């Protein structure tokens, strides 16, 4: 990154290994701004603010750490943002995200404040992806989806799946409570 700003390239490992090298790193990650830095007993903690997707063109070692030549990964916006199918997809993803937030126990005002802070469909998909409970490989697949429409679709599928899991948990919980109640009466 050729800039004087405090930017880093945050990228995941393909596999969790002690000695990290270029072979275990994904090529698509996030260019992030360093918000805060705290030193503690466990080392240094950074608070990062993701700015945009980046593609590592080349990894190399510099002064004992890995560095990368990174270029911006251009997002593929919807061909027609006013297309009824795209508008419906965006609305449905927003509705499911709000529903999942409430099912997860978050106050409605908090959910609306978080979701209301982002209008751009691509940014919205990225925001929601950060909150949903998915495996690292699925999170990486979302990061690598440069098409906004594709990313919204994938996020919507994850939202619906997670919502279904919460419904099933609630159902199991109520059945167990019912059974416990029956046994206590007996």
């Amino acid at each position: 990154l050729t800039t004087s700003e405090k930017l880093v390239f945050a990228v995941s490992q393909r596999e969790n290994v002690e000695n990290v090298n270029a072979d275990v790193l994904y090529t698509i990650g996030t260019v992030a701004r360093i918000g805060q830095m705290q030193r503690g007993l466990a080392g240094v903690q950074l608070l990062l603010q993701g700015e945009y997707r980046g593609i590592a063109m080349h990894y190399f070692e510099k002064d004992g750490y890995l560095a990368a030549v990174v270029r911006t990964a251009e997002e593929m916006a919807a061909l027609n943002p006013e297309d009824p199918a795209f508008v419906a997809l965006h609305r449905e993803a927003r509705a499911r995200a709000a529903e999942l937030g409430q099912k997860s126990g978050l106050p409605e005002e908090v959910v609306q404040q978080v979701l209301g802070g982002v209008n751009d469909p691509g940014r919205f998909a990225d925001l929601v992806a950060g909150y949903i409970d998915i495996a690292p490989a699925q999170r990486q697949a979302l990061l690598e989806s440069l098409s906004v429409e594709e990313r919204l679709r994938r996020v919507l599928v994850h939202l619906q799946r997670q919502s279904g899991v919460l419904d099933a948990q609630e159902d199991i919980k109520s059945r167990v409570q019912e059974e416990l109640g029956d046994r206590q009466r007996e």
Side-chain angles (χ1 to χ4, degrees), residues 158-174:
H158 290 305
L159 285 167
Q160 289 174 324
R161 189 173 294 141
Q162 198 168 336
S163 185
V165 168
L166 287 178
D167 287 344
Q169 283 179 314
E170 199 55 44
D171 187 45
I172 290 168
K173 188 176 165 184
S174 66

Side-chain angles (χ1 to χ4, degrees), residues 116-169:
V118 178
N119 292 322
D120 177 73
R123 286 267 183 201
F124 170 77
D126 293 341
L127 172 75
V128 173
Y131 283 99
I132 53 181
D133 184 23
I134 55 176
Q138 292 171 316
R139 201 172 297 285
Q140 182 67 32
L142 284 173
L143 184 67
E144 291 179 2
S145 296
L146 299 181
S147 162
V148 171
E149 192 168 347
E150 173 67 19
R151 203 158 66 244
L152 269 175
R153 275 199 177 85
R154 287 180 178 206
V155 164
L156 180 56
V157 168
H158 290 305
L159 285 167
Q160 289 174 324
R161 189 173 294 141
Q162 198 168 336
S163 185
V165 168
L166 287 178
D167 287 344
Q169 283 179 314

Side-chain angles (χ1 to χ4, degrees), residues 23 27-28 37 39 41 65 85 89 99 133 139:
D23 296 335
T27 54
I28 295 184
M37 190 174 3
R39 295 188 191 282
L41 297 175
Y65 63 90
L89 174 65
E99 182 182 279
D133 184 23
R139 201 172 297 285

Side-chain angles (χ1 to χ4, degrees), residues 174-186:
S174 66
R175 285 184 190 177
V176 168
Q177 289 299 328
E178 201 175 288
E179 198 173 306
L180 286 173
D182 290 346
R183 287 195 179 156
Q184 281 183 339
R185 279 194 292 279
E186 286 175 12

Side-chain angles (χ1 to χ4, degrees), residues 12-185:
S12 294
Q13 294 176 221
R14 293 178 194 277
E15 53 187 279
N16 195 8
V17 294
E18 190 71 28
N19 296 321
V20 179
N21 61 40
D23 296 335
V24 299
L25 296 177
Y26 285 103
T27 54
I28 295 184
T30 304
V31 174
R33 182 178 314 285
I34 299 173
Q36 289 180 338
M37 190 174 3
Q38 292 181 335
R39 295 188 191 282
L41 297 175
V44 177
Q45 282 189 327
L46 298 176
L47 177 64
L48 301 177
Q49 174 67 44
E51 294 291 318
Y52 52 89
R53 284 170 172 71
I55 301 173
M57 304 307 290
H58 172 66
Y59 287 111
F60 58 95
E61 196 157 321
K62 178 182 177 187
D63 302 328
Y65 63 90
L66 278 175
V69 174
V70 178
R71 79 173 172 85
T72 302
E74 295 297 331
E75 192 169 76
M76 294 166 19
L79 291 175
N80 177 7
E82 304 303 318
D83 177 61
F86 182 76
V87 171
L89 174 65
H90 187 197
R91 282 184 186 162
E92 184 66 14
R94 280 189 172 279
R96 293 305 128 246
E99 182 182 279
L100 182 63
Q102 289 172 353
K103 281 183 183 179
S104 301
L106 295 171
E108 186 177 351
E109 318 82 66
V110 172
V111 172
Q112 293 307 325
Q113 183 181 5
V114 170
L115 297 180
V118 178
N119 292 322
D120 177 73
R123 286 267 183 201
F124 170 77
D126 293 341
L127 172 75
V128 173
Y131 283 99
I132 53 181
D133 184 23
I134 55 176
Q138 292 171 316
R139 201 172 297 285
Q140 182 67 32
L142 284 173
L143 184 67
E144 291 179 2
S145 296
L146 299 181
S147 162
V148 171
E149 192 168 347
E150 173 67 19
R151 203 158 66 244
L152 269 175
R153 275 199 177 85
R154 287 180 178 206
V155 164
L156 180 56
V157 168
H158 290 305
L159 285 167
Q160 289 174 324
R161 189 173 294 141
Q162 198 168 336
S163 185
V165 168
L166 287 178
D167 287 344
Q169 283 179 314
E170 199 55 44
D171 187 45
I172 290 168
K173 188 176 165 184
S174 66
R175 285 184 190 177
V176 168
Q177 289 299 328
E178 201 175 288
E179 198 173 306
L180 286 173
D182 290 346
R183 287 195 179 156
Q184 281 183 339
R185 279 194 292 279

